[in-house]
Amino acid sequence: NRNQGSLVEVHVPERSVLVVEDEENLLEALRYNLEREGYQVHTATDGGEGLELARKINPSLILLDIMLPTLDGFEICRILRRESEVPILLLTAKGEEVDRVVGLELGADDYITKPFSIRELIARVRNTLRRTSENEEQHFWTGSLEIDLNSHEARLAGEPLSLKPKEFDLLALLVANKGRAFTRDQILERVWGYDYIGQTRTVDVYISWLREKLQADPTTASSIVTIRGVGYRLDG
């Protein structure tokens, strides 16, 4: 049954990494190697500059030293966690277990101990970004509608939406691919699977049920658009 595959087609933008490190030699080595791996790299040599840059560029990930001029890495981590979910990987001194524990408690995603190999650091960066990307691609919003593929839950204006399994799958397909038109045959194939034996009228019936259940928010309900002679699209 082919409908077990991912419903999601998400454009992944260029990954950017902010490195906040006051050791110039290490900073340049990190910049050089991350750029070789295809990352867009921004750098800062003190905490205040790093925090300002993080807010300005909204990086995909931050490599954050703890001991920094003007503002230490702990304080930056504490501030950013109130404002953002950006992944933070701490650069800690060898043997400073207290630093690692405090950093993780403040919301850092991971840490790497100095001295470290560039290969290990690149692997940590790649793994952290992959986990983040997977989580992002499982959670979607459009207007007041929220879809979580991990928990298989839908909410409308914060309230749980009671959906049959195929209603949920159909709605998730449309929300995850907002703006894209699907024919009825494509929807049958994606939601019901290649081996489904039935008429395309099934899709029309389920669309009408979804619109009815979304009526608590007329704007969201009307965002499921019928394309005459083609199928359906979700606008938003």
Side-chain angles (χ1 to χ4, degrees):
N1 190 329
R2 295 292 295 273
N3 67 324
Q4 297 303 311
S6 173
L7 302 176
V8 183
E9 294 184 7
V10 177
H11 171 67
V12 179
E14 183 179 13
R15 293 298 194 180
S16 60
V17 177
L18 170 61
V19 184
V20 188
E21 170 60 64
D22 63 337
E23 293 179 38
E24 291 283 354
N25 290 340
L26 178 56
L27 183 68
E28 288 308 311
L30 292 173
R31 183 213 295 270
Y32 173 76
N33 285 280
L34 286 165
E35 286 180 345
R36 281 188 62 187
E37 292 292 322
Y39 297 105
Q40 183 182 6
V41 182
H42 304 268
T43 62
T45 55
D46 72 69
E49 180 191 3
L51 178 60
E52 184 179 338
L53 205 49
R55 287 168 164 167
K56 180 179 178 182
I57 66 173
N58 190 26
S60 306
L61 178 141
I62 300 175
L63 289 177
L64 181 62
D65 191 22
I66 292 176
M67 299 300 293
L68 291 164
T70 72
L71 201 63
D72 68 39
F74 291 145
E75 190 60 25
I76 294 171
C77 195
R78 182 182 292 111
I79 292 169
L80 286 177
R81 269 298 161 264
R82 293 200 297 259
E83 304 173 359
S84 156
E85 292 296 319
V86 60
I88 298 173
L89 201 161
L90 291 176
L91 308 178
T92 69
K94 185 176 181 179
E96 295 295 333
E97 184 179 352
V98 173
D99 286 354
R100 298 196 291 271
V101 171
V102 171
L104 294 172
E105 286 178 346
L106 289 174
D109 295 81
D110 200 358
Y111 64 86
I112 187 165
T113 304
K114 298 178 183 178
F116 49 79
S117 75
I118 293 295
R119 181 179 297 179
E120 181 187 2
L121 180 126
I122 296 293
R124 294 285 190 91
V125 168
R126 189 180 293 124
N127 289 339
T128 302
L129 286 174
R130 184 174 64 241
R131 288 197 306 269
T132 306
S133 177
E134 287 169 354
N135 289 337
E136 285 174 353
E137 291 175 9
Q138 299 298 310
H139 215 130
F140 299 91
W141 290 266
T142 181
S144 64
L145 177 64
E146 176 186 356
I147 296 279
D148 188 333
L149 299 185
N150 285 322
S151 62
H152 214 264
E153 291 178 326
R155 292 179 177 274
L156 186 65
E159 294 299 317
L161 200 56
S162 178
L163 299 173
K164 299 173 184 175
K166 291 303 180 189
E167 288 177 336
F168 179 89
D169 292 346
L170 174 54
L171 186 58
L173 173 67
L174 295 174
V175 172
N177 295 276
K178 188 164 58 176
R180 173 178 172 178
F182 288 95
T183 66
R184 290 169 175 83
D185 284 333
Q186 285 175 325
I187 292 173
L188 279 176
E189 182 181 300
R190 296 270 191 117
V191 176
W192 279 266
Y194 280 116
D195 55 358
Y196 175 75
I197 300 173
Q199 300 178 337
T200 55
R201 173 70 182 151
T202 301
V203 176
D204 300 331
V205 171
Y206 271 77
I207 289 288
S208 69
W209 287 345
L210 281 178
R211 284 174 172 155
E212 189 175 326
K213 290 186 175 183
L214 295 172
Q215 278 303 323
D217 181 356
T219 302
T220 300
S222 63
S223 68
I224 301 178
V225 178
T226 302
I227 307 168
R228 291 191 63 182
V230 179
Y232 298 95
R233 179 185 73 231
L234 186 132
D235 290 339

